[in-house]
Every structure is written in C-alpha cells, then in structure tokens.
Amino acid sequence: MEKFFKRKASTSESRSAPSIPSEIDLNDLPSDPADRKKISEDHHVGKCGSDAFVTEGFNSWNKTERLSLHVGDVNSFHNRALKKSEDLMRQNRSIAVAFQKQSEIEKNEHRIRLNASIKAIRFLLKNALPFRGHDESEMSISKGMFLETLSLIGDCNEDVGKVILKNAPKNNQMVSPSIQKDIASCFANQILKSICEEIGDDVFALLVDESSDVSKKEQMAVVLRYIDARGIVKERFFGIVHVTGTSSSILKSAIDTLFAKHGLSLKQVRGQGYDGASNMRGEFNGLKALILNDNSSAYYIHCFAHQLQLVVVEVAKKHDGVENFFNMLSMVINVVNASCKRKDMLRQSYKDRVQEAIVLQYVEEDGDNGFSRTQATEVTDLLSRALQKKDQDILEAVSLVRGTKQLLQHFRETGFEPLLKKMYSFCEANGIKSLDMADRYSKNGRQRTNITNRHYYEFDIFNTVVDMQLQEFGDRFSEVSTELLKNIAALSPCDSFSQFNVSDLLKLSELYPYDFSRMERIALEKQLNMYYVIVRQDERFADLSDISELARLMV
C-alpha cells in the first residue's frame, strides 16, 4: 500500500500523529476488498465499529443482548446501513426508475393533472378562498372549493376532464391535502422571492404587529414598505411568524431569522412602525430600541391615524366615568345585534344622521369662535379619509392633527352647552325624564354627594376628558416633528412652495449617515435649490397629488 501514499518526512512530532494520505489512485486499488488496506489501520478504530461480523466472526452467541445493542434504535448505524442496502438491492422500485418506465402518454397525463391542480390552487389563493370542504366524499353535494374548482376545469376542458379526479389512478390524482399545501407553499415562496428581488439592495420600511390566533398561538405579522424600480410605493405582506412570546427580544429574534432566510438585512431598514404597546415602542427595551441598536437610521414612526384613534378614544377610556359608559354601550350593542330587525332600524337611523357628525352639532354655522361649520366638516372628512386611506399623505396627516387639535380646543370652550341642549331635546322627543342639573349628584344611584349634577358632568367628566386629550395631543404630536414632516412633504411640488425649507431638509439628510456622505450633503444644498427652480417651471409636475406620484415621475 505504500506506493499509493505520499508521506511527509518523519519528525519527532509526526511519528506520534496519524499519517494522512495525500494522493490515492483509485484505479490501482486491488479489486478484492479483502486485499485493500483497512480503515482501522489509519487510526480510526472506535469510529467505525468493530469487524466481528465481517472479519473476525461473532462468538458471543450466549450473550443475545449484544445483538440488540448492535442493532440499536431506528436511526442507528446498523439500521441506516440496512436501509441503504435494501434500497440498493431494490432500485427498480425507486421513483426515478418508476417514472422512467412510464410511457409518454402516462407522463403527459401526469403533467395535465399537476397543471390542473396548480390552476385551481392559483385561483383560490388569488381570491383568498378556502380549500377544504366539510365532506369531500364522492357522494357529497359540495366537496369544497378546491375539488369543485378542479371539477369545473375538467368540465370546461374535455382533455383535462379525462385524466383528473375519478378518471385518474387512485395513487396519482394530485389532490391530497399535502400536495395542496406543497403547491401553495411554492406560490408563497415565489411571491416572497419576487418581493426580495424588487427590493434588492435598496432600503425599505418595516411594519410589525403581533396577535394571538384562534388556536391561542402568538403570531407576528410582517409587512414591508418600499419603492420599486419604477418609483411605485408598494406595501407587501411578507409573512406570519409563530413566536413563543411577545417580549421584544423574541420578536427581534424572529425578524432576524425571517430576514436571514430571505437574504434581507436590518441595515436596509429606514423606518419601523408598530402599535403603541410598550414591548414595541419602548424607549429602552422595546423592539424599536433593539432595532435602532443595530441600525441607527431605522427611525420609528407611529401611524398618525392610529395615534389619533388612541388620543380621541383610548385616552377618554382612562376616565372611570367614560369607561363605564362604554361598558354599558357595549351591552346595548349586544342587545341590538341579537335582533336583525333592531339592527335594520339602527342602520336606517344612522343613515339619516350620517351627514350630521357629532362634532358638527356643537359648532355654530357662523363660526363665532373662529371655527366655522365648513372647517369642522373639512376636519371630519380628513379624519375619515385618513382612517380609510392606505397610503397616508404627510401633508394631510399634519393638517389632520392640527385641525383635530383646534377642534378639540373649540369643543372644550363651547361644547358643553350645546351638548346639554341636545340631551334635553332627545329626552323630550323620546319621553325620557331628563336629569335636573341643579340637583346633587347621586353616586351609584343612592349615595348623594355635595356637588351638583352639572358640576360632575361638566367639570369632572367633560372638561377633564377633553383636557386629557389635548394634553395627549401635545405629548404625541410635538411642533418640531410636525414642522419636520411638513418640510418632507414640501418635496412634493403639488402644494405651495412657500413651505420649502432647504436648511431643514439638509438637517434631515444628517439623520441618514449610511445614505448621505459628508461630500454628498455639501452638494445636496445646490441640488435642492436647483430642484426648487426647475420643478416649478416644469409642467409635468403641475398636477401631482402626493409624493408617490412624484417618485414615479422622477423615475
């Protein structure tokens, strides 16, 4: 065997170490395996088992337990070697050989069945329809969307109908639940692949929310927002990840794993948005802070519409009296929803009053306090659009915050008397005994207090709740952030250029050191001034409505 090895010169150290063959000519090896060098001679004893069954023979027949020990469990060396040996001896049963034995007709029929299943699954996925049916037996009237769609495809195409479902071999119908899941997973992987290809090495924003599903498992939904190669702003659902908990570290780890799987990096993130929970937006240990530790340019932006909802509704619920009111209101809603007739009456009543929004009822037509009914209508319309609009415009959001804040301030100053007047009118119209505001306030219907009903409802509830909302507005929407957002929106030429502030935009570029070098920031000032002059003179930019349209036109 020496002629098959090239060994290094012997040294004191190499004598004790195992020799490593550098070259082996497989063609010169003895044809008889018994004449070849044993693996055990290369210092591998103990790693390949003993040779009792192949060389020396087994002589411990009185110790039957050693046979069981040698066989081991399902994944033991013995059983794995046995399985490979059986596969080697029965190659004619393998899938590859069986497929090769099929005729061209059989192969073509198999492709038709597979394509029919793919078309049915594509249709169901595109329309978000369920696959399985309650009863998928042959005699069932409705077998579920997948089988019914597949049957419809066969009815519309005679060539397909001849080879699918009952006309196909029982073991080759391509309709089993596992095959349905495999094909659906292929579609999902292709969609994720296309999203990653669109993003490439560019930047994107990360939107995350977590909730428990019907099976009480915590699930984290991930959405990516980015601009594609044509300048179109896209918001794509990227996946649902099962998480074992809702702590920020667990969510961060799940995001890292998801990004690594699809070749994305947190360094590409330029924005992150979550709800107001502490585990999400906490300053020190929240998910926002953990991502900012990896990428200082991944700034957190809380959705304006969501913040408005928190300010207007959730803050009000912090007041005990308001919370009790909403609890009673939920019970009333449950009673109404129990009857279809009552629900129809409620819908009709709401339709009759929808034009008279609650806020408008307390604002005078002439606008005695500088806030007209027209202005209030604009604010409520703006609020409605912001809550429904998918792509929230920055200028619209800023106007919405300011308008709502002004409306709340006006409501604080003049709202209680119109509210009281409407309450009396409602009670009179419906035969309800109205509350005497001069009487002493009765707590829990029995215990009388030393304050009047008017003092309790006007000062302890109405004024207190509105003050809480105004204070929350000041904390959540600072003037600095509002002005900064306005200057970002000033990049769009669709509004007045009097708000275009180059110095503030230059400060904004300093927040993204990965995207703007020092030399690029120096050149940016001249570029912005040139942008301001040229775009104003270009008619193509005259009718743009938002930044997304500007991005498409620029590309």
Side-chain angles (χ1 to χ4, degrees):
M1 295 296 290
E2 287 294 325
K3 65 179 180 179
F4 302 114
F5 298 90
K6 291 184 179 180
R7 304 181 185 275
K8 294 182 179 180
S10 299
T11 61
S12 58
E13 295 181 0
S14 63
R15 290 192 188 96
S16 59
S19 60
I20 301 176
S22 57
E23 291 185 6
I24 299 177
D25 189 350
L26 298 179
N27 294 324
D28 292 338
L29 289 177
S31 59
D32 188 354
D35 296 333
R36 297 176 186 175
K37 185 178 180 180
K38 297 180 181 179
I39 297 178
S40 58
E41 294 180 15
D42 272 334
H43 304 274
H44 289 282
V45 176
K47 296 184 179 179
C48 58
S50 62
D51 54 2
F53 291 97
V54 294
T55 304
E56 299 175 359
F58 183 72
N59 53 12
S60 299
W61 296 103
N62 59 330
K63 299 179 180 179
T64 55
E65 67 276 3
R66 295 186 61 179
L67 293 174
S68 300
L69 183 63
H70 169 76
V71 172
D73 57 14
V74 177
N75 293 319
S76 66
F77 288 108
H78 171 87
N79 284 319
R80 280 188 288 176
L82 178 62
K83 179 65 169 62
K84 291 178 180 180
S85 175
E86 292 174 348
D87 293 341
L88 183 63
M89 299 299 292
R90 295 183 294 185
Q91 293 187 36
N92 58 340
R93 299 186 183 181
S94 66
I95 296 176
V97 173
F99 190 76
Q100 290 295 329
K101 288 182 178 180
Q102 286 185 331
S103 65
E104 287 299 322
I105 296 177
E106 291 174 324
K107 292 179 182 179
N108 186 53
E109 291 178 352
H110 179 81
R111 292 190 186 96
I112 293 175
R113 282 191 290 272
L114 179 59
N115 287 332
S117 295
I118 291 175
K119 290 179 180 178
I121 291 174
R122 179 190 284 117
F123 170 75
L124 297 179
L125 290 175
K126 187 176 181 179
N127 294 277
L129 296 174
F131 280 43
R132 305 296 303 279
H134 178 67
D135 182 6
E136 295 185 348
S137 63
E138 188 66 31
M139 302 302 296
S140 175
I141 298 176
S142 178
K143 301 180 179 65
M145 292 297 297
F146 174 72
L147 292 180
E148 293 293 343
T149 304
L150 196 60
S151 177
L152 179 62
I153 293 174
D155 293 340
C156 297
N157 191 317
E158 184 177 354
D159 293 335
V160 176
K162 291 179 179 178
V163 297
I164 64 172
L165 298 176
K166 61 183 179 180
N167 296 325
K170 294 296 183 180
N171 62 344
N172 192 13
Q173 294 188 345
M174 304 300 293
V175 296
S176 68
S178 59
I179 291 178
Q180 296 177 35
K181 293 179 180 178
D182 288 342
I183 297 176
S185 298
C186 291
F187 276 114
N189 291 332
Q190 287 298 315
I191 292 173
L192 293 178
K193 182 181 178 181
S194 66
I195 293 174
C196 294
E197 289 176 350
E198 280 188 326
I199 296 175
D201 296 329
D202 210 342
V203 297
F204 58 89
L206 174 65
L207 308 175
V208 175
D209 196 10
E210 49 84 18
S211 179
S212 59
D213 58 17
V214 293
S215 62
K216 302 304 179 183
K217 291 182 178 179
E218 288 292 340
Q219 306 285 2
M220 180 180 69
V222 179
V223 176
L224 303 184
R225 186 179 176 90
Y226 59 94
I227 298 178
D228 68 2
R230 293 178 293 171
I232 300 175
V233 179
K234 292 186 175 180
E235 193 172 278
R236 294 291 182 262
F237 175 74
F238 200 67
I240 293 181
V241 182
H242 172 59
V243 291
T244 56
T246 59
S247 65
S248 56
S249 60
I250 292 177
L251 299 179
K252 170 66 163 47
S253 177
I255 293 174
D256 287 335
T257 303
L258 181 65
F259 279 12
K261 179 180 178 181
H262 297 284
L264 299 177
S265 171
L266 283 176
K267 293 296 183 182
Q268 297 175 256
V269 178
R270 291 297 180 271
Q272 44 179 328
Y274 321 115
D275 59 18
S278 59
N279 66 325
M280 291 293 199
R281 62 185 296 264
E283 294 293 335
F284 302 103
N285 296 319
L287 179 61
K288 174 191 77 172
L290 295 180
I291 292 181
L292 282 173
N293 290 337
D294 291 347
N295 181 5
S296 59
S297 295
Y299 294 103
Y300 172 79
I301 299 176
H302 197 161
C303 172
F304 273 88
H306 188 255
Q307 289 193 72
L308 279 175
Q309 189 266 344
L310 291 175
V311 170
V312 177
V313 179
E314 297 301 325
V315 172
K317 287 185 178 181
K318 293 181 179 179
H319 191 286
D320 293 339
V322 176
E323 184 182 14
N324 291 335
F325 168 76
F326 277 106
N327 290 336
M328 288 187 288
L329 185 62
S330 64
M331 289 189 288
V332 173
I333 292 174
N334 290 335
V335 172
V336 172
N337 286 336
S339 169
C340 296
K341 184 177 180 180
R342 289 194 290 264
K343 287 166 67 176
D344 291 338
M345 293 171 60
L346 186 64
R347 290 193 189 100
Q348 186 60 42
S349 176
Y350 175 75
K351 187 181 295 184
D352 296 338
R353 302 185 185 187
V354 69
Q355 299 299 328
E356 293 294 329
I358 296 177
V359 178
L360 302 183
Q361 296 169 359
Y362 313 117
V363 181
E364 298 295 333
E365 184 70 44
D366 298 332
D368 295 337
N369 295 301
F371 206 89
S372 66
R373 179 181 290 270
T374 303
Q375 289 174 308
T377 304
E378 292 175 354
V379 171
T380 51
D381 289 344
L382 208 58
L383 176 61
S384 177
R385 290 199 303 272
L387 293 175
Q388 298 175 6
K389 191 174 180 183
K390 188 174 182 180
D391 296 323
Q392 191 177 0
D393 183 77
I394 295 176
L395 275 179
E396 189 174 84
V398 173
S399 301
L400 179 63
V401 172
R402 287 184 169 178
T404 307
K405 192 173 181 180
Q406 293 174 7
L407 191 61
L408 277 174
Q409 185 63 44
H410 177 80
F411 192 53
R412 168 71 169 78
E413 297 171 357
T414 62
F416 185 75
E417 291 301 331
L419 179 64
L420 191 62
K421 187 183 298 184
K422 182 165 183 63
M423 186 270 291
Y424 282 133
S425 175
F426 177 81
C427 292
E428 182 179 353
N430 293 276
I432 301 173
K433 182 180 178 180
S434 59
L435 186 66
D436 189 352
M437 290 295 166
D439 277 353
R440 287 189 297 166
Y441 170 67
S442 177
K443 190 175 182 180
N444 299 327
R446 304 190 193 113
Q447 182 181 359
R448 287 185 172 270
T449 61
N450 294 327
I451 60 174
T452 62
N453 287 324
R454 183 184 183 89
H455 183 279
Y456 175 73
Y457 288 107
E458 181 175 2
F459 295 96
D460 292 354
I461 292 185
F462 181 80
N463 289 350
T464 300
V465 171
V466 177
D467 287 343
M468 290 167 61
Q469 292 175 336
L470 288 172
Q471 182 179 354
E472 191 72 15
F473 259 100
D475 295 338
R476 288 183 180 268
F477 306 101
S478 64
E479 294 299 325
V480 176
S481 61
T482 303
E483 291 297 326
L484 182 60
L485 287 172
K486 189 200 300 184
N487 283 310
I488 298 174
L491 283 169
S492 174
C494 55
D495 292 284
S496 173
F497 271 85
S498 60
Q499 300 175 347
F500 194 92
N501 192 316
V502 174
S503 61
D504 282 349
L505 290 172
L506 290 174
K507 292 178 182 177
L508 181 65
S509 67
E510 296 176 2
L511 300 176
Y512 298 93
Y514 300 114
D515 302 302
F516 297 94
S517 65
R518 180 176 173 276
M519 297 304 298
E520 287 174 334
R521 288 199 297 271
I522 293 175
L524 184 61
E525 183 175 4
K526 294 181 180 179
Q527 293 171 353
L528 288 173
N529 287 322
M530 190 179 300
Y531 167 88
Y532 175 76
V533 174
I534 294 177
V535 172
R536 288 192 65 182
Q537 300 173 353
D538 195 329
E539 295 181 355
R540 293 176 298 173
F541 293 86
D543 298 325
L544 301 181
S545 60
D546 54 30
I547 294 180
S548 61
E549 289 188 12
L550 173 64
R552 288 198 295 272
L553 184 58
M554 294 289 284
V555 172

